[in-house]
Amino acid sequence: MEHQVISQGSSNEEDTSTGGSGAGTECVLDYTNEFTTDEIFKSRDALVEWTRDRGNSNGLVIIIKNSDAGGAGNKKPRIKFCCEKGGVYKRKIDENVHKKRRLRSSGTKKCGCPFLLRGVSLGDNDEWKLEVVCGVHNHDAAKSNARRLSEEEKALLVDMSKSLAKPKDILRTIKQKEGLNETTMKTIYNVRQRLKLKENVVRSQMHVLLSKLSDHNYIEWHRSSDDSNIVKDLFWTHPVSVDILRAFPQVLIMDCTCKTYSFPLLEIVGVTCTNITFSAAFAYLDAKNEDNYIWALSRLRTMLDEHCLPTVIVTDNDLPLMTAIHSIFPSARHFLCRLHISKNVLAKCKGMFEGKDQLEKFIMSWNMLVLSETEHEYLKRLAELDYYFGRYPHALEYVKNTWLNEYKERFVSVWTDTCMHFGHTTSNRVEGASAKLKQLLGNSRGSFETSWEKIHSLLELQHLDIKVSLEKCLTIIQRNFMHDELKELRGFVSTVALNIIVCESKKVNSVGLDSSSCSCTIRRTHGLPCVHEIAKYRQTSRPIPLYCVDAHWRKLDLLYSPKNSDHATDIITQMYTILHQWMDSNEDTRRHISLKLEEIMNMESMPLTKPKEQPSRIGTTTRCNLSAFELALSCRVSHSPVDTVATTSHSEKPKRRPPKMKVTVIVVIES
């Protein structure tokens, strides 16, 4: 583009009104020809777009100075355009206030550029024309270092913002797409704020949050105050989180924090069979009171039925939450976090000992007392605590009156290890999830919308990790799981459970078959075979059967079928009983069992009442009996109630042969 240089001069005095912008040196350029046009624009938006594009092509940023909708006195609508450097800087701080503050150096891009365009409506079908009032710029166009984002760039900004990208990363991506792009960081912030205000116009933060939850099919409940329409409590959860919760409801860990936004946030997490923590639900509460906790846990209870209730719930020493748990989940065992108790004991007793060595010995004795495996061992270590630290009655009185007398059944191993908690006796997992969430939110000064967007992205990644981990358990077999005693568990049990079984099997030589030497803790707390059970299977050269592993470790999908859950467990147990019976029998008994199984698989094709004239086909059948390998493989593969019995509809042709077996490809990874 060509433009005319009218004059060029210099001034020795700096114009203080520009805040040090250097506008005293002028380079007057005339762009009248660039903006002169006889085109009739079909709309106001077309006029604005043409003007801005014309400015961008010349290295100028043209903005709307003001506009008038017209109306009064037959006045036509009009719009004025100017350069972004037009006008002068006006200090907005009161001089009296400014004198008390330290003078801060500042700058401005405004240099009094006189450029001015006027758009006038022709009054016919919203048609517009453009007039050049002053086409002169008093600055070099090459120094114009900012411009508006295009629609494509705005769309990119929105997508990256939803993915929690930082503004600096968004700016870098935009510049990489266009090498000559000179957009600044301030433009990114301004566009993000403008889009957010446009989206949330005439809506409160709570309205925005509720609309976001509805748009993404979240399950949510909220209740308002009796005398107003203000939301008091809000409970919400992701639909996929509900599926995961119903698949793994056995252990729930809860914690309420006040450091995320301005309301207490109750976070409820669970643990999958692959040892991954998942966020089951969130609840913004008006206060950390019993009534608020009861309302939130009641909403959680409505998502569960009698087949998927939690058996263990772990929290810290939050009395209102403990009362609410007992009210809503009376059948669940409630544990107190050992880590929190240990920290409280250390903080309370720190000033009761004269030396650091005595305090460390007391804490060590306390931890050994908490880990007591038998009641006799507990009483013995409690007596030792009284004997060695009798000189510190205040410390002993604190640990007994505050923790042991009332809550020892909720955190001491001898009582907690009587139920299946899968190794979760502390609230570390929910503390870790809360810490990750706090790090993601950054601070507590954000909005509900900002918090939800970050939590939503976190949940999406969490669900993906869980699905991948379950798929790996089905398809990938590690090298240390390849020995024969695990052949019936590979591909049907979580790798976490297999690791625990391998660790237990290493103790077989030292413990052996003696059940008294085996504490059987793994059987009670994890639902897995303990040392003496593994020794029995190894002695008879039999692999560890699948039925001796708890259903929690066998759940490698997110499907939920509560009506068939107990029936499925019974069927699996019965099939393994038949298999072991077949293996211990002679050839004639094996043949008889094979015939009976074949009859069961084809029972729907048989008539309900056998005709008298039809002779018995037993012993004269021409069909091939199942071999030992096929029978064992069918019992192993058919581990679900759907695969155990081959069903045939009445309209289909009866199947005379056993169903085909599914073949699973196993990939072995070298450790």
Side-chain angles (χ1 to χ4, degrees):
M1 299 295 179
E2 295 182 357
H3 53 268
Q4 182 180 2
V5 180
I6 297 179
S7 63
Q8 183 174 357
S10 62
S11 175
N12 294 328
E13 297 181 0
E14 183 178 345
D15 186 0
T16 58
S17 65
T18 63
S21 63
T25 301
E26 294 187 350
C27 179
V28 182
L29 305 175
D30 188 2
Y31 286 86
T32 302
N33 295 334
E34 300 296 335
F35 291 91
T36 300
T37 179
D38 295 330
E39 182 179 353
I40 302 300
F41 300 95
K42 299 299 182 181
S43 65
R44 180 181 183 275
D45 293 338
L47 171 64
V48 174
E49 183 179 0
W50 184 90
T51 306
R52 288 175 176 171
D53 291 342
R54 201 67 162 175
N56 291 337
S57 62
N58 287 276
L60 303 169
V61 178
I62 307 302
I63 62 175
I64 298 176
K65 183 177 182 181
N66 54 53
S67 61
D68 188 358
N74 295 327
K75 188 176 181 180
K76 294 182 179 181
R78 60 188 62 214
I79 182 173
K80 291 184 179 180
F81 301 93
C82 68
C83 177
E84 66 167 351
K85 296 190 177 184
V88 294
Y89 174 72
K90 295 180 181 180
R91 192 178 299 275
K92 297 181 180 180
I93 300 179
D94 188 2
E95 292 296 335
N96 296 328
V97 178
H98 185 64
K99 290 180 181 179
K100 298 179 182 179
R101 299 179 180 178
R102 183 179 179 182
L103 185 62
R104 184 178 62 180
S105 59
S106 61
T108 178
K109 66 175 65 176
K110 295 183 179 297
C111 60
C113 180
F115 181 82
L116 185 64
L117 304 176
R118 180 172 58 233
V120 181
S121 175
L122 299 179
D124 300 330
N125 300 325
D126 194 26
E127 294 182 343
W128 292 73
K129 69 175 182 178
L130 183 65
E131 300 175 353
V132 179
V133 179
C134 179
V136 175
H137 289 269
N138 63 352
H139 56 87
D140 191 356
K143 295 181 180 179
S144 180
N145 59 357
R147 68 173 183 82
R148 294 177 180 268
L149 296 180
S150 64
E151 293 300 326
E152 181 182 355
E153 292 169 341
K154 288 182 181 179
L156 177 62
L157 183 144
V158 172
D159 292 339
M160 295 188 66
S161 297
K162 289 181 180 179
S163 301
L164 304 182
K166 296 181 179 179
K168 63 179 182 180
D169 298 327
I170 298 175
L171 179 62
R172 185 185 304 112
T173 304
I174 292 177
K175 287 182 175 294
Q176 288 176 351
K177 285 184 170 293
E178 184 180 347
L180 300 178
N181 191 305
E182 296 183 354
T183 303
T184 62
M185 184 69 75
K186 185 174 179 60
T187 303
I188 302 297
Y189 280 110
N190 290 343
V191 173
R192 285 175 49 150
Q193 182 65 19
R194 195 179 302 115
L195 293 174
K196 185 177 296 184
L197 292 176
K198 183 179 179 181
E199 182 180 2
N200 302 339
V201 63
V202 198
R203 293 195 301 176
S204 65
Q205 292 187 20
M206 184 56 65
H207 285 143
V208 173
L209 176 58
L210 293 177
S211 65
K212 291 287 187 181
L213 295 175
S214 177
D215 294 341
H216 290 79
N217 299 322
Y218 272 70
I219 300 173
E220 66 89 19
W221 287 277
H222 65 273
R223 63 173 180 171
S224 305
S225 302
D226 298 333
D227 54 347
S228 65
N229 198 27
I230 300 176
V231 176
K232 183 179 179 181
D233 299 307
L234 174 64
F235 178 95
W236 50 282
T237 179
H238 196 284
V240 178
S241 297
V242 177
D243 295 335
I244 302 175
L245 173 62
R246 290 175 176 174
F248 306 101
Q250 291 84 355
V251 179
L252 294 181
I253 310 171
M254 305 180 185
D255 182 50
C256 190
T257 178
C258 298
K259 296 183 180 180
T260 51
Y261 199 51
S262 56
F263 291 90
L265 177 63
L266 175 64
E267 186 172 5
I268 304 171
V269 305
V271 186
T272 68
C273 66
T274 54
N275 212 27
I276 295 181
T277 305
F278 67 91
S279 299
F282 298 90
Y284 281 115
L285 304 178
D286 182 57
K288 298 173 67 173
N289 297 329
E290 181 180 338
D291 176 67
N292 302 95
Y293 284 133
I294 289 178
W295 179 86
L297 295 183
S298 299
R299 306 285 77 77
L300 177 67
R301 178 64 179 83
T302 58
M303 299 188 303
L304 306 173
D305 57 27
E306 298 299 329
H307 298 278
C308 61
L309 290 178
T311 56
V312 173
I313 298 177
V314 186
T315 68
D316 57 6
N317 191 28
D318 190 343
L319 294 179
L321 180 58
M322 294 165 60
T323 305
I325 291 173
H326 180 71
S327 176
I328 305 301
F329 298 102
S331 61
R333 288 283 300 273
H334 176 242
F335 290 172
L336 290 176
C337 175
R338 294 176 180 174
L339 181 61
H340 279 82
I341 295 176
S342 180
K343 289 182 178 179
N344 290 337
V345 171
L346 177 61
K348 189 69 175 180
C349 300
K350 188 174 183 180
M352 300 179 183
F353 294 85
E354 66 274 5
K356 185 177 179 181
D357 295 338
Q358 289 296 321
L359 176 62
E360 291 179 351
K361 291 180 181 179
F362 178 79
I363 296 299
M364 184 179 298
S365 300
W366 166 258
N367 291 333
M368 294 298 294
L369 175 68
V370 172
L371 297 177
S372 301
E373 295 184 356
T374 63
E375 192 168 355
H376 175 73
E377 184 180 356
Y378 168 78
L379 295 175
K380 178 182 177 182
R381 290 177 176 175
L382 181 60
E384 292 177 353
L385 195 70
D386 290 332
Y387 177 78
Y388 289 110
F389 301 97
R391 295 181 300 162
Y392 309 99
H394 296 292
L396 295 176
E397 181 181 358
Y398 168 74
V399 296
K400 290 181 179 179
N401 296 339
T402 305
W403 300 110
L404 294 179
N405 294 342
E406 187 174 0
Y407 300 121
K408 62 176 180 289
E409 293 86 359
R410 304 191 183 191
F411 67 94
V412 179
S413 295
V414 60
W415 288 282
T416 59
D417 289 350
T418 57
C419 68
M420 205 171 299
H421 53 69
F422 307 108
H424 308 299
T425 57
T426 68
S427 60
N428 288 358
R429 288 186 175 272
V430 70
E431 292 287 343
S434 298
K436 188 175 182 179
L437 181 59
K438 293 173 187 176
Q439 182 180 8
L440 190 64
L441 296 178
N443 54 60
S444 60
R445 297 189 299 272
S447 63
F448 282 122
E449 180 190 7
T450 304
S451 302
W452 176 85
E453 288 177 350
K454 295 181 179 180
I455 294 175
H456 176 69
S457 300
L458 182 66
L459 292 178
E460 293 287 339
L461 295 176
Q462 184 183 98
H463 299 158
L464 180 61
D465 292 340
I466 291 174
K467 292 177 182 179
V468 170
S469 67
L470 295 176
E471 188 66 25
K472 284 183 177 180
C473 293
L474 291 170
T475 58
I476 299 178
I477 304 299
Q478 298 179 10
R479 183 177 181 181
N480 56 331
F481 301 150
M482 295 304 296
H483 39 87
D484 291 339
E485 66 181 1
L486 298 178
K487 67 180 181 179
E488 294 189 8
L489 306 182
R490 294 192 294 261
F492 303 110
V493 173
S494 165
T495 55
V496 177
L498 292 177
N499 276 319
I500 297 175
I501 294 174
V502 169
C503 293
E504 286 292 298
S505 64
K506 295 178 180 179
K507 307 175 186 177
V508 169
N509 295 332
S510 59
V511 176
L513 299 174
D514 187 8
S515 59
S516 60
S517 301
C518 176
S519 61
C520 299
T521 304
I522 291 296
R523 167 55 66 189
R524 296 193 307 270
T525 60
H526 290 70
L528 296 173
C530 55
V531 178
H532 83 279
E533 292 181 27
I534 299 175
K536 289 181 180 179
Y537 295 120
R538 186 175 293 182
Q539 185 184 36
T540 57
S541 301
R542 292 166 55 187
I544 299 173
L546 183 62
Y547 68 84
C548 71
V549 177
D550 187 78
H552 171 79
W553 306 107
R554 303 198 305 262
K555 186 64 176 175
L556 300 181
D557 56 59
L558 301 181
L559 301 179
Y560 179 58
S561 53
K563 296 182 180 179
N564 298 329
S565 57
D566 297 335
H567 180 65
T569 304
D570 295 338
I571 288 295
I572 294 173
T573 304
Q574 293 172 7
M575 292 300 295
Y576 270 96
T577 302
I578 295 174
L579 175 61
H580 293 151
Q581 223 175 10
W582 184 89
M583 294 176 64
D584 297 336
S585 303
N586 54 29
E587 191 64 29
D588 293 337
T589 306
R590 289 183 179 184
R591 179 181 176 83
H592 182 70
I593 293 175
S594 300
L595 290 172
K596 290 296 183 182
L597 288 177
E598 188 176 0
E599 290 179 8
I600 293 174
M601 287 188 291
N602 296 278
M603 63 183 303
E604 289 194 2
S605 62
M606 297 180 181
L608 296 178
T609 304
K610 191 173 182 179
K612 293 183 180 180
E613 64 274 13
Q614 183 177 353
S616 174
R617 298 178 60 88
I618 298 179
T620 61
T621 178
T622 58
R623 286 174 289 171
C624 180
N625 296 325
L626 291 175
S627 65
F629 172 77
E630 290 174 335
L631 179 63
L633 183 61
S634 64
C635 292
R636 178 169 176 250
V637 173
S638 302
H639 62 281
S640 65
V642 178
D643 294 326
T644 303
V645 180
T647 59
T648 308
S649 62
H650 295 288
S651 60
E652 294 178 352
K653 184 178 179 180
K655 296 181 180 180
R656 308 303 297 175
R657 299 185 63 184
K660 295 182 179 180
M661 304 300 172
K662 296 181 180 179
V663 179
T664 303
V665 178
I666 298 177
V667 181
V668 180
I669 293 183
E670 296 289 340
S671 59

